[in-house]
Amino acid sequence: QVQLVESGGGLVQPGGSLRLSCAASGRIFSINTMAWYRQAPGKQREAVASITSAGSTNYAESVKGRFTISRDNAKNTVYLQMDSVKPEDTAVYYCRLVSRDTYWGQGTQVTVSS
């Protein structure tokens, strides 16, 4: 079993920055992909960014150039650096790990508002 725990969410002003973390624990296979998803009220969950264990990354068009995903394999932790945030980035952000199975974290709220 794998557990994912997100942290770092909160209230941030437009144009500001926030850093999310997701720590994985349990039986984790070395080859995996970790990702961030988000879900705004009344909307479907959408992919934000992903990173493989080899370091390859992908981003949603809406966050390219503003968000950066990274990971520390030794700590089984993935990060999402959010810069130049906008009100439309407001959502619950979820961490996902895919290896032999798919695991989700419980989510962390990010609110962008002045």
Side-chain angles (χ1 to χ4, degrees), residues 91-107:
V92 178
Y93 283 71
Y94 297 90
C95 176
R96 187 183 84 161
L97 184 150
V98 178
S99 56
R100 294 187 180 183
D101 293 296
T102 299
Y103 304 91
W104 290 91
Q106 81 288 350

Side-chain angles (χ1 to χ4, degrees), residues 29-55:
F29 294 99
S30 60
I31 300 175
N32 60 70
T33 296
M34 298 189 77
W36 288 97
Y37 282 69
R38 66 186 181 187
Q39 187 167 20
K43 295 187 177 181
Q44 289 189 333
R45 191 173 297 189
E46 63 176 359
V48 175
S50 66
I51 184 167
T52 68
S53 48

Side-chain angles (χ1 to χ4, degrees), residues 5 26 83 90 96:
V5 179
D83 298 319
T90 295
R96 187 183 84 161

Side-chain angles (χ1 to χ4, degrees), residues 64-97:
K64 276 184 179 178
R66 300 188 298 120
F67 292 6
T68 303
I69 190 170
S70 61
R71 63 187 290 166
D72 185 333
N73 289 334
K75 296 181 179 179
N76 290 319
T77 300
V78 65
Y79 306 96
L80 186 69
Q81 178 67 39
M82 305 169 61
D83 298 319
S84 302
V85 296
K86 304 175 181 179
E88 50 263 45
D89 294 322
T90 295
V92 178
Y93 283 71
Y94 297 90
C95 176
R96 187 183 84 161
L97 184 150

